[in-house]
């Protein structure tokens, strides 16, 4: 089948043509998300680790944000890709906006899209924004993959800052303040510290596995 002009799916990922048909490629909004998923999988669901693979991040990661992910989905829809692919978006304002737009595409049968699941502790979370300091439910508005890490090591309580307003969804977009410190702690302590809490990552992988097996 001829590759449509402007579609770089097989140029970016030539291994899509040869990978085992039982495996799922997981595509996220950024390299940090994929790194957290790939490093946590052997720790929380080692028995299914061989069924998932990620984009090679040794070079520049091709997706930075929902816009790039949406264009990638458009390309795969055009060429009717036959591989198992899961597009995993943040459970935030931008992620839900992209989720709706991707669902409106004519996706191939083996291509799935999902957002990160809700988190119980995110139902009462410290936020900082136009109305000052409040406690809010940030599920669907500001849950990124960093919220699934252990947020206890820092002395300050984790807080989300509201940033831009999304008119199409009707909510502010939120981001975890100093999220890089939680990512660094994960990479330094995962599998090495018995005190590191992997429970939310375990729940996240249960959500991913369920999405891929329905």
């Amino acid at each position: 089948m001829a590759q449509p002009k402007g579609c770089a799916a097989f140029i970016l990922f030539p291994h899509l043509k040869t990978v085992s048909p039982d495996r799922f490629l997981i595509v996220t909004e950024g390299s940090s998300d994929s790194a957290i998923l790939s490093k946590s999988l052997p720790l929380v669901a080692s028995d299914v680790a061989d069924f998932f693979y990620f984009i090679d991040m040794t070079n520049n990661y091709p997706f930075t944000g929902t816009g790039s992910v949406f264009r990638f989905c458009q390309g795969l829809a055009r060429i009717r890709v036959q591989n198992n692919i899961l597009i995993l978006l943040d459970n935030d304002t931008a992620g839900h906006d992209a989720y709706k737009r991707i669902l409106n595409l004519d996706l191939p049968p083996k291509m799935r899209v999902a957002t990160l699941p809700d988190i119980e502790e995110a139902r009462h979370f410290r936020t900082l924004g136009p109305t000052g300091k409040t406690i809010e439910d940030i599920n669907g508005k500001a849950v990124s993959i960093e919220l699934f890490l252990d947020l206890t090591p820092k002395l300050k309580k984790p807080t989300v800052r509201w940033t831009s307003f999304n008119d199409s969804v009707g909510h502010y977009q939120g981001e975890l303040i100093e999220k890089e410190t939680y990512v660094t702690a994960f990479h330094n302590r995962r599998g090495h510290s018995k005190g590191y809490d992997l429970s939310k990552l375990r729940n996240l992988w249960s959500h991913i596995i369920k999405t891929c097996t329905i």
Side-chain angles (χ1 to χ4, degrees):
M1 179 182 295
Q3 181 172 318
K5 183 178 180 181
C7 177
F10 288 139
I11 295 175
L12 285 172
F13 317 119
H15 55 289
L16 283 178
K17 297 179 179 180
T18 58
V19 73
S20 168
D22 295 327
R23 301 180 74 200
F24 266 88
L25 170 66
I26 298 183
V27 176
T28 65
E29 295 182 32
S31 59
S32 178
D33 297 32
S34 289
I36 290 170
L37 287 173
S38 64
K39 300 299 183 183
S40 63
L41 177 56
L43 300 176
V44 302
S46 59
D47 54 327
V48 297
D50 291 340
F51 289 97
F52 299 94
Y53 65 110
F54 302 85
I55 296 168
D56 184 2
M57 293 174 290
T58 55
N59 299 313
N60 292 332
Y61 190 79
F63 310 119
T64 52
T66 57
S68 296
V69 174
F70 178 74
R71 289 189 291 274
F72 174 68
C73 292
Q74 285 180 310
L76 293 185
R78 291 191 190 105
I79 64 173
R80 310 306 298 170
V81 68
Q82 298 299 305
N83 301 75
N84 289 317
I85 298 176
L86 172 63
I87 307 297
L88 188 63
L89 301 162
D90 288 348
N91 183 8
D92 60 9
T93 301
H96 280 277
D97 187 22
Y99 176 78
K100 293 177 182 177
R101 291 190 293 135
I102 292 171
L103 284 184
N104 285 329
L105 299 173
D106 183 19
L107 296 177
K110 293 186 178 182
M111 189 171 169
R112 307 181 186 192
V113 57
T115 63
L116 299 174
D118 286 356
I119 305 177
E120 186 61 34
E121 72 178 79
R123 300 189 190 283
H124 303 280
F125 207 87
R126 288 167 57 94
T127 67
L128 179 63
T131 58
K133 297 179 180 180
T134 59
I135 302 296
E136 298 186 43
D137 184 351
I138 62 170
N139 286 303
K141 302 175 185 178
V143 173
S144 60
I145 199 165
E146 290 82 12
L147 269 293
F148 291 84
L149 304 179
D150 188 345
L151 303 183
T152 59
K154 286 177 62 65
L155 294 177
K156 296 180 181 179
K157 290 186 177 180
T159 304
V160 157
R161 176 181 286 115
W162 299 119
T163 55
S164 58
F165 188 81
N166 188 307
D167 289 319
S168 63
V169 179
H171 294 298
Y172 278 96
Q173 171 74 18
E175 183 175 282
L176 182 65
I177 296 174
E178 297 182 4
K179 62 181 181 181
E180 295 82 5
T181 60
Y182 301 106
V183 174
T184 299
F186 165 73
H187 288 298
N188 289 341
R189 298 179 61 198
R190 59 177 174 83
H192 310 297
S193 172
K194 293 183 178 179
Y196 192 87
D197 183 8
L198 293 168
S199 61
K200 286 180 291 182
L201 285 168
R202 188 171 291 108
N203 291 337
L204 171 56
W205 269 107
S206 293
H207 171 74
I208 292 173
I209 294 166
K210 182 178 180 180
T211 301
C212 291
T213 54
I214 291 177

